[in-house]
Amino acid sequence: MLGCECFCWHDKHSDYDEFTPLPQPQPFSLPSPIPDWPPGQGFATGKINLGELEVVKITKFEGVWSCDSLHGKAKGPTFYKPVGIPDGFFCLGYYCQPNDQPLRGYVLVAREREGSTPEVYRDYDSDSDFPALKKPVNYSLIWSSELDRNGCGFFWLPNAPMGYKAMGILVTDTPEEPDDDEVRCVREDLTETCEIKDTIHVAGAHPFQVWNTRPCKRGMCCKGVSVGTFFCSTYFVSENEELEIACLKNLDPTLHAMPDLSQIHALINHYGATVFFHPDEDCLPSSVQWFFKNGALLYEDGELKGKSIDYRGSNLPSGGTNDGAFWIDLPGDNNGRDNVKKGNLESAELYVHVKPAVGGTFTDIVMWIFCPFNGPANLKIGLMNIQMNKLGQHVSDWEHFTLRISNFTGELWQVYFSQHSGGEWVDAFDLEYIEGNKPIVYSSRHGHASFPHPGTYLQGSVKLGIGIRNDAARSKYFVDSSTRYKIIAAEYLGDGVVTEPCWLNYMREWGPTIVYDSRSELDRIINMLPFFVRFSVENIFDLFPTELYGEEGPTGPKEKDNWEGDERF
């Protein structure tokens, strides 16, 4: 066994007064109650059919072990056993989370589907004669803490029968191997591979680490379902390495737990974010129709003169690839260009793509916002702030954020904030809200990246204070997406339910490509700096996205990786 020299482990049954109990995380709930959603098929019913299995989400837990550093500097995790499992359902693994955040997680419990039950969907029939769930053969001890007192932490991997996979790890406070009835393994054809995601805990000098997990393949057509369990190991695990535990697979082709159209509208009305723009923003959003009506032009390679675009985009080339044959530009006259660059907040609306996530156990409501122009960047070097003339500007800007909704309950779970070439998922407990359960999204000045809180975010080196500034603040300029939105796609609903606008299938660039010598401007700035910081600044400039060094119009939402895939994180 490996010792745990740097960490104190706290047993819920401990009688040792010298070990002060750690404060347990308190459960989180949204600011306002969740409404009764319009009736539908299987959305927000508490259970989801995955084909041969039926699963329920458990959010009530009993703490088994907590750990923290002796010096109180490192955040430690608590390991939980799910409680309140409905009759007939079986545990698949335990839950773990850091102690410095509210208790808000889940694990799935499962039972074999009863095909003869009228309320159960019957689109999937297995060819296997083996049961979907089986008890483990026995357990392997992965790691244990070692302290000279009653009780240690013991981490167990279920050893699955041949043809089955373990779904999660168990934790006990005694060295006795868990009972084989404590957990179930799942038949291999009902599972997908999973990978580690965030590191929850590293045990001091010893190579014991704990991670949460997610399906390896993610996107609206992928079937992997996260069980909500954790993985731990005493050896190095790479991000893309297949683990000894698996996730579930949704084999129900109907995706019956996804919301119907009326439920989508109800979700947006209840959770639609308010997007605040910076007080000094002079490149505001508009509707796509306003952009077209106010003089946007379509150019074709080899043609000197642009053509007016129908307000619906019906004369835009549809389909194909981004081959450089066409692009959109601002009006030809200076007054028209200046007017369109400013945008038109009164016409602005959010364009909504609704799609399955995590194997249809969640719904992603992706909200796209269009700005006719992306303003120049603001460069920060230490205490210096330099407003660039051209660096970072381009015609048209498509940005988005994503509301991730649990299909078990209809509860807002996370929000994704897109930030230039990346972004971040933020849990519901770390959001700002307005008018009940509507989160706030802060759009950065000129660049329109999305952030969960106001402030200055640096794209570069935070440590050195060098990079592109992203300033986000609340102002009188905002768009309420709960009322000002248009659903442009929801493929899972079938043909004819949602009509896609013509402009959505324009796959080319929404702005011209213009290359200019911005590097000379950056070199001039470098030469103004003290010699001892020039090298660091120049290295950071080399890491800036190439689009900062010239104007290149973005492609539309359907050309983005996250249209079919998962968000970048």
Side-chain angles (χ1 to χ4, degrees), residues 107-127:
V107 292
L108 299 186
V109 296
R111 72 177 178 186
E112 204 156 346
R113 190 190 67 167
E114 299 176 7
S116 60
T117 307
E119 66 270 16
V120 174
Y121 300 88
R122 302 186 189 184
D123 330 80
Y124 173 79
D125 290 311
S126 172
D127 294 329

Side-chain angles (χ1 to χ4, degrees), residues 56-83:
V56 172
K57 184 171 72 173
I58 299 296
T59 57
K60 294 183 179 180
F61 302 102
E62 176 185 87
V64 180
W65 280 96
S66 293
C67 73
D68 202 357
S69 73
L70 288 173
H71 304 289
K73 294 181 180 179
K75 61 180 182 180
T78 295
F79 299 90
Y80 297 91
K81 175 182 178 178
V83 296

Side-chain angles (χ1 to χ4, degrees), residues 291-292 296-300 309 316-317 319-330 370 394-398 503 505-514 547 550-557 559-560:
F291 180 56
F292 292 162
L297 299 172
L298 174 67
Y299 284 83
E300 185 175 359
I309 303 173
L316 291 172
T321 59
N322 183 24
D323 53 10
F326 296 89
W327 63 89
I328 295 173
D329 203 351
L330 300 172
F370 174 76
H394 54 80
V395 174
S396 298
D397 194 22
W398 281 104
W503 54 260
N505 291 299
Y506 168 70
M507 299 301 180
R508 276 80 174 189
E509 291 174 349
W510 285 66
T513 298
I514 303 173
E547 58 264 26
E551 294 187 32
E552 184 175 0
T555 51
E559 275 285 281
K560 307 297 186 184

Side-chain angles (χ1 to χ4, degrees), residues 249-405:
K249 181 191 292 187
N250 190 351
L251 293 170
D252 172 27
T254 69
L255 294 176
H256 74 282
M258 291 292 294
D260 62 23
L261 191 58
S262 65
Q263 291 167 335
I264 292 172
H265 285 294
L267 288 166
I268 296 174
N269 294 157
H270 187 73
Y271 293 124
T274 296
V275 184
F276 281 102
F277 296 87
H278 194 272
D280 299 326
E281 182 63 81
D282 52 7
C283 300
L284 290 164
S286 76
S287 69
V288 171
Q289 287 192 354
W290 182 90
F291 180 56
F292 292 162
K293 285 180 179 179
N294 281 268
L297 299 172
L298 174 67
Y299 284 83
E300 185 175 359
D301 189 29
E303 300 290 333
L304 297 178
K305 189 175 181 181
K307 298 179 181 179
S308 297
I309 303 173
D310 175 76
Y311 76 97
R312 295 166 299 178
S314 59
N315 62 330
L316 291 172
S318 180
T321 59
N322 183 24
D323 53 10
F326 296 89
W327 63 89
I328 295 173
D329 203 351
L330 300 172
D333 63 290
N334 289 335
N335 288 337
R337 293 177 71 88
D338 291 342
N339 176 57
V340 171
K341 282 183 179 181
K342 296 176 184 176
N344 181 264
L345 196 62
E346 290 72 24
S347 70
E349 57 189 356
L350 279 294
Y351 298 104
V352 179
H353 179 208
V354 187
K355 60 178 185 173
V358 199
T361 55
F362 287 86
T363 295
D364 275 1
I365 299 177
V366 188
M367 294 196 147
W368 292 92
I369 191 160
F370 174 76
C371 296
F373 197 73
N374 191 95
N378 191 347
L379 186 63
K380 177 178 174 60
I381 304 176
L383 298 177
M384 297 173 56
N385 290 288
I386 305 169
Q387 180 66 62
M388 309 304 292
N389 292 323
K390 293 183 177 180
L391 185 75
Q393 71 178 16
H394 54 80
V395 174
S396 298
D397 194 22
W398 281 104
E399 295 292 346
H400 76 281
F401 58 90
T402 299
L403 310 176
R404 180 158 285 182
I405 311 293

Side-chain angles (χ1 to χ4, degrees), residues 168-213:
I169 308 297
L170 273 63
V171 182
T172 64
D173 53 16
T174 64
E176 286 76 24
E177 186 173 313
D179 191 283
D180 64 357
D181 200 40
E182 179 66 19
V183 73
R184 291 294 186 272
C185 300
V186 179
R187 204 175 67 231
E188 196 165 2
D189 63 309
L190 305 179
T191 69
E192 288 268 12
T193 57
C194 67
E195 64 187 20
I196 59 171
K197 187 185 175 187
D198 302 316
T199 300
I200 299 176
H201 180 60
V202 179
H206 299 296
F208 177 68
Q209 296 186 71
V210 181
W211 303 268
N212 58 23
T213 63

